[in-house]
C-alpha cells in the first residue's frame, strides 16, 4: 500500500488510533498532519493544537494546513472521547460534550476539508464504533454520538458519490488510553480481547489506497473475541 505523498489530516492524531494512523500513513509514504488538544507525542509529524469542539478553530486550522500543503488528499476523524455512566448519573454538560467531540467535531472537520477533497478527488475516513451498531448500558451519549457518525457518513457518501470517497470505520475496543480513569464497571474485563491500534490503522491505509472508482464504504474491525458485537 503506497500513499504516494498524499496529504492526510488526522484529528485526534496525538494518541491512540489517531497516532497509529499517522505512523501508518507515514510508513506508506504519505504526509500525515496531526490535529489534537495534546500534540506532545506527535514527534516529528506536522502537528497543530486543536479542540475539535471549536468549530471556528477547526475551520481556520484545516484551511491553513491545506493552503500550506497545496491541498488535501484525505481526512481521518479519529478524535473521540466518552464519559460513561447511566443517563441520570452524568450531567447534561458531560453528555453533550461527548456529542460535541465525537459527532459535531467530526462534522466540523469534514466540512472544513471538503472543498479541498473535492479538488483532489480525495477521501474521508470517519471513526464510529461497534456501539454505533448496538447500544450499551452506561453509554447513552457515546452510542448516540457514534450512531450519529455512522448515519452522517452514509449520507455524506451518498452526497459526494463520484467526487469524494467516504469510509466509516467501525472498530471494536482497542488498547489505548480511552479506558484510562474509568471505574472498574466501565473498563474492559479482558484486555486480551482489545485490538492493537496499529492493526486498525493499517485498515485505514487500505481504505485510503484503493484505486480510483473503488470505495470501501464501511469496515468493521474487531478482535475475534470482541463482546460488543454482534
Amino acid at each position: 500500500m503506497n500513499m504516494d505523498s498524499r496529504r492526510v489530516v488526522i484529528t485526534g492524531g496525538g494518541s491512540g488510533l489517531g497516532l497509529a494512523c499517522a505512523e501508518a500513513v507515514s510508513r506508506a509514504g504519505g504526509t500525515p498532519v496531526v490535529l489534537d488538544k495534546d500534540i506532545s507525542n506527535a514527534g516529528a509529524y506536522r502537528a497543530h493544537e486543536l479542540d475539535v469542539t471549536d468549530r471556528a478553530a477547526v475551520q481556520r486550522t484545516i484551511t491553513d494546513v491545506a493552503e500550506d500543503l497545496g491541498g488535501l488528499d484525505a481526512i481521518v476523524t479519529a478524535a473521540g472521547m466518552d464519559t460513561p455512566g447511566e443517563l441520570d448519573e452524568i450531567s447534561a454538560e458531560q453528555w453533550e460534550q461527548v456529542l460535541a467531540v465525537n459527532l459535531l467535531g467530526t462534522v466540523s472537520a469534514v466540512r472544513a476539508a471538503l472543498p479541498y477533497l473535492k479538488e483532489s478527488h480525495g477521501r474521508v475516513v470517519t471513526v464510529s464504533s461497534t456501539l454505533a451498531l448496538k447500544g450499551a448500558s452506561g453509554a447513552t451519549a457515546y452510542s448516540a454520538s457514534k450512531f450519529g457518525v455512522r448515519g452522517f457518513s452514509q449520507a455524506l457518501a451518498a452526497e459526494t458519490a463520484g467526487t469524494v470517497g467516504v469510509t466509516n470505520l467501525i472498530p471494536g475496543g482497542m488498547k489505548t488510553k480511552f479506558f484510562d480513569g474509568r471505574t472498574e464497571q466501565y473498563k474492559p474485563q479482558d484486555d486480551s480481547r482489545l485490538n492493537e491500534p496499529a492493526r486498525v490503522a493499517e485498515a485505514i491505509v487500505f481504505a485510503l489506497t484503493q484505486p480510483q472508482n473503488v470505495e470501501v464504504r464501511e469496515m468493521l474491525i474487531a478482535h475475534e473475541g470482541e463482546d460488543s458485537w454482534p
Side-chain angles (χ1 to χ4, degrees):
M1 295 183 290
N2 193 329
M3 293 293 295
D4 296 322
S5 300
R6 281 177 244 184
R7 303 149 295 183
V8 184
V9 167
I10 305 165
T11 68
S15 65
L17 176 61
L19 183 56
C21 184
E23 293 166 350
V25 166
S26 181
R27 282 196 305 272
T31 301
V33 181
V34 168
L35 307 182
D36 206 311
K37 290 179 71 174
D38 181 359
I39 58 174
S40 59
N41 293 319
Y45 299 131
R46 295 171 183 257
H48 301 265
E49 290 186 11
L50 180 67
D51 180 348
V52 296
T53 67
D54 185 338
R55 178 162 44 86
V58 170
Q59 179 69 56
R60 183 172 59 251
T61 301
I62 291 178
T63 298
D64 288 348
V65 167
E67 295 300 321
D68 182 53
L69 295 177
L72 295 176
D73 298 294
I75 185 167
V76 180
T77 59
M81 58 90 66
D82 188 21
T83 301
E86 295 187 6
L87 183 59
D88 57 358
E89 293 177 340
I90 61 174
S91 70
E93 290 76 16
Q94 290 173 310
W95 203 97
E96 291 168 6
Q97 178 71 6
V98 175
L99 262 70
V101 172
N102 296 353
L103 176 55
L104 299 184
T106 293
V107 175
S108 294
V110 172
R111 185 192 296 275
L114 199 57
Y116 304 99
L117 298 178
K118 286 181 176 179
E119 288 181 5
S120 65
H121 198 84
R123 287 185 161 112
V124 173
V125 176
T126 58
V127 180
S128 59
S129 166
T130 49
L131 294 192
L133 303 175
K134 183 179 72 173
S137 176
T140 56
Y142 190 75
S143 291
S145 69
K146 294 301 189 175
F147 267 82
V149 168
R150 187 171 181 234
F152 165 73
S153 304
Q154 291 178 357
L156 182 68
E159 285 184 3
T160 61
T163 304
V164 174
V166 179
T167 299
N168 179 224
L169 174 70
I170 306 173
M174 291 175 283
K175 294 179 182 178
T176 70
K177 295 180 179 179
F178 185 78
F179 300 109
D180 289 359
R182 296 186 176 205
T183 62
E184 289 301 316
Q185 178 184 2
Y186 295 116
K187 286 184 178 180
Q189 300 304 303
D190 183 359
D191 286 354
S192 70
R193 291 190 291 179
L194 297 177
N195 261 346
E196 293 291 343
R199 302 288 79 80
V200 182
E202 290 172 358
I204 292 174
V205 171
F206 172 79
L208 292 176
T209 54
Q210 290 302 295
Q212 190 173 359
N213 301 323
V214 176
E215 296 298 341
V216 179
R217 292 303 193 192
E218 197 162 82
M219 293 190 295
L220 193 159
I221 302 175
H223 185 276
E224 63 182 357
E226 174 69 50
D227 58 3
S228 68
W229 178 89

